[in-house]
Amino acid sequence: MSNLTEQLTDLFRQTGKAHHQAFIATDGADDEWPLWYAGYLADKLPALLGKPMTKSEMVYQLVDLSKRQPTEAPQVEWAVYYAQEFEEIYAQHE
């Protein structure tokens, strides 16, 4: 795992914990979680990737990954999968 993947994984884990804490009354349930995640990640993710991203782009990627991960890599922790995919998407656009 690359250093960037590790940093992204940590960021996604932190985001998940923050989201769960924000929605503790509903045990983390939030139908609009991609919007919340994008807001939380808005300044952190682009800075880490060194690439500008809109919240809309983040929401699109988060929703897409949430649909693909269960069939593409069900054995991989979601944060690791998202980190690897975001790194791959970023690498394709360098």
Side-chain angles (χ1 to χ4, degrees):
M1 189 179 305
S2 75
N3 185 44
L4 179 57
T5 300
E6 289 177 12
Q7 291 175 331
L8 289 167
T9 299
D10 289 344
L11 178 59
F12 283 117
R13 285 179 182 147
Q14 174 188 5
T15 304
K17 287 178 185 177
H19 181 262
H20 187 78
Q21 192 65 30
F23 288 85
I24 200 157
T26 60
D27 197 28
D30 172 22
D31 292 337
E32 296 184 2
W33 69 269
L35 292 173
W36 192 96
Y37 272 53
Y40 185 88
L41 293 168
D43 61 338
K44 298 169 185 72
L45 189 57
L48 190 56
L49 290 172
K51 176 186 183 293
M53 300 175 80
T54 66
K55 287 182 184 178
S56 180
E57 289 173 304
M58 285 184 231
V59 167
Y60 173 81
Q61 292 299 337
L62 291 166
V63 170
D64 184 53
L65 293 174
S66 73
K67 291 177 182 176
R68 291 183 11 222
Q69 195 255 339
T71 55
E72 289 183 5
Q75 73 287 0
V76 177
E77 178 194 2
W78 74 270
V80 173
Y81 178 78
Y82 283 39
Q84 291 169 338
E85 292 298 310
F86 266 91
E87 184 174 11
E88 184 176 317
I89 292 163
Y90 167 72
Q92 291 178 358
H93 293 93
E94 285 188 291

